[in-house]
Amino acid sequence: VTCRSDVEAFAGVGAGAVLVGEALMRAPSPEALISELLARPRQPPLCKICGLRDAEAAGVAAAAGADLIGMIFAKSKRQVDVQTAQAMVAAVRRERPRPADWAMPPYLATNADHQLTPRAWLLRWRALLTDAASKGGPLTVGVFVNSTVEEMNRIAEDVPLDLIQLHGDEGWSIAKQLVRPAIRVVHMEPGVSAADVVGSIEGGSAVAVLLDSKGGGTGKTFDWKVGAEVQQLAPFILAGGLNPENVGSAVAAVTPWAFDVSSGVETDGVKDHEKIVAFVRAGKA
């Protein structure tokens, strides 16, 4: 049994179940093959709008259907303070109230988790984060660059944040010291291969990986072919040069579990409400 037509052929002669073995072992993406065999509809990827700086734009992103809202606390033209971030979170929750019994999946990495392959670890958290976003989203993400653990934890509690994004040279192990699950950014410099990316991932640390062009927020894409190769090995969030015009093509070519934008929904350096709505719609089409 290697494809949906095989399953349908067996069902046509009365079979109630099929045994799949070698095809799963050889499949680049076992979960994708299982979905095909079961004829499950493809779930749209999650959308992250990053670099938001005011409550109005954050509310627009939430209303448009964004699943993650990103706020930058590192020195940047998009940097916000805690008070501004709190106002944005309040606007998001007014637009899409969170159930009173909702809770972020706890980050509790056991010794067994550290032994998981990067793929297995990231697949587990892809499912957890997707479920969390569907029931209590948008998830709020704080972006930091080489900040101390103390500063990140303090801001995460004060805002409050759901996730912490590590965008500098912090490494992977620092994620274990944070009070929120972490997203680790991998900068896709020219010449970086899929094997390089997957080889750098440490299971049991950051719960998600975001691939971005070198520098981040530059509006430049990286080689989507490499991204597609990474996706066959480990799920990730796609960023780098996306905009309302190209996000549909990017999602189709790479099939990430989530996609991210900042400068691509700006006009003259300011978040453009119409572009935010168009971006979310195009990426989830």
Side-chain angles (χ1 to χ4, degrees), residues 90-165:
V92 166
R93 298 293 168 243
R94 284 193 299 271
E95 192 64 47
R96 285 165 60 187
R98 179 170 277 177
D101 61 350
W102 182 92
M104 189 69 183
Y107 175 76
L108 298 171
T110 66
N111 288 334
D113 291 327
H114 295 304
Q115 301 304 314
L116 289 174
T117 65
R119 177 186 179 83
W121 170 256
L122 295 175
L123 283 172
R124 172 190 295 178
W125 272 95
R126 179 186 69 177
L128 290 171
L129 294 177
T130 298
D131 183 67
S134 70
K135 295 177 179 177
L139 305 182
T140 55
V141 184
V143 180
F144 298 86
V145 178
N146 298 328
S147 297
T148 64
V149 169
E150 292 74 20
E151 179 184 19
M152 291 188 283
N153 285 342
R154 174 180 57 79
I155 292 176
E157 296 284 15
D158 288 347
V159 172
L161 301 172
D162 296 318
L163 293 157
I164 290 173
Q165 182 170 312

Side-chain angles (χ1 to χ4, degrees), residues 50-52 69-76 78-86 88-89 140-145 147 151-152 154-156 158-161 163-165:
C50 199
L52 291 160
I69 301 292
M71 298 161 278
I72 298 175
F73 295 95
K75 290 190 180 298
S76 159
R78 302 182 182 91
Q79 183 179 17
V80 298
D81 56 26
V82 169
Q83 291 71 31
T84 301
Q86 289 171 333
M88 286 195 284
V89 172
T140 55
V141 184
V143 180
F144 298 86
V145 178
S147 297
E151 179 184 19
M152 291 188 283
R154 174 180 57 79
I155 292 176
D158 288 347
V159 172
L161 301 172
L163 293 157
I164 290 173
Q165 182 170 312

Side-chain angles (χ1 to χ4, degrees), residues 24-280:
L24 283 177
M25 297 290 291
R26 295 181 177 276
S29 174
E31 66 274 12
L33 177 59
I34 291 172
S35 293
E36 177 194 345
L37 295 176
L38 295 176
R40 290 175 177 168
R42 178 178 174 273
Q43 296 298 310
L46 303 191
C47 175
K48 176 171 174 277
I49 306 294
C50 199
L52 291 160
R53 288 181 283 174
D54 64 83
E56 185 178 6
V60 168
D67 304 288
L68 301 102
I69 301 292
M71 298 161 278
I72 298 175
F73 295 95
K75 290 190 180 298
S76 159
K77 62 183 180 181
R78 302 182 182 91
Q79 183 179 17
V80 298
D81 56 26
V82 169
Q83 291 71 31
T84 301
Q86 289 171 333
M88 286 195 284
V89 172
V92 166
R93 298 293 168 243
R94 284 193 299 271
E95 192 64 47
R96 285 165 60 187
R98 179 170 277 177
D101 61 350
W102 182 92
M104 189 69 183
Y107 175 76
L108 298 171
T110 66
N111 288 334
D113 291 327
H114 295 304
Q115 301 304 314
L116 289 174
T117 65
R119 177 186 179 83
W121 170 256
L122 295 175
L123 283 172
R124 172 190 295 178
W125 272 95
R126 179 186 69 177
L128 290 171
L129 294 177
T130 298
D131 183 67
S134 70
K135 295 177 179 177
L139 305 182
T140 55
V141 184
V143 180
F144 298 86
V145 178
N146 298 328
S147 297
T148 64
V149 169
E150 292 74 20
E151 179 184 19
M152 291 188 283
N153 285 342
R154 174 180 57 79
I155 292 176
E157 296 284 15
D158 288 347
V159 172
L161 301 172
D162 296 318
L163 293 157
I164 290 173
Q165 182 170 312
L166 304 170
H167 214 282
D169 304 315
E170 304 91 348
W172 293 85
S173 61
I174 194 172
K176 304 167 190 175
Q177 304 174 53
L178 300 175
V179 295
R180 298 290 190 274
I183 299 170
R184 172 71 250 175
V185 172
V186 174
H187 299 288
M188 298 298 288
E189 300 184 43
V192 171
S193 69
D196 293 332
V197 173
V198 176
S200 72
I201 298 171
E202 294 182 14
S205 54
V207 301
V209 174
L210 185 149
L211 303 191
D212 198 357
S213 52
K214 181 64 176 176
T218 63
K220 297 179 179 179
T221 63
F222 65 88
D223 187 348
W224 291 344
K225 181 180 179 182
V226 176
E229 293 171 353
V230 174
Q231 182 62 29
Q232 295 295 319
L233 303 172
F236 70 91
I237 302 168
L238 175 66
L242 300 181
N243 57 54
E245 287 70 43
N246 69 8
V247 66
S249 297
V251 168
V254 181
T255 65
W257 75 272
F259 55 96
D260 176 290
V261 69
S262 183
S263 62
V265 291
E266 294 178 348
T267 298
D268 298 327
V270 178
K271 287 293 185 286
D272 184 311
H273 296 181
E274 291 184 1
K275 287 184 179 179
I276 290 173
V277 173
F279 182 82
V280 177

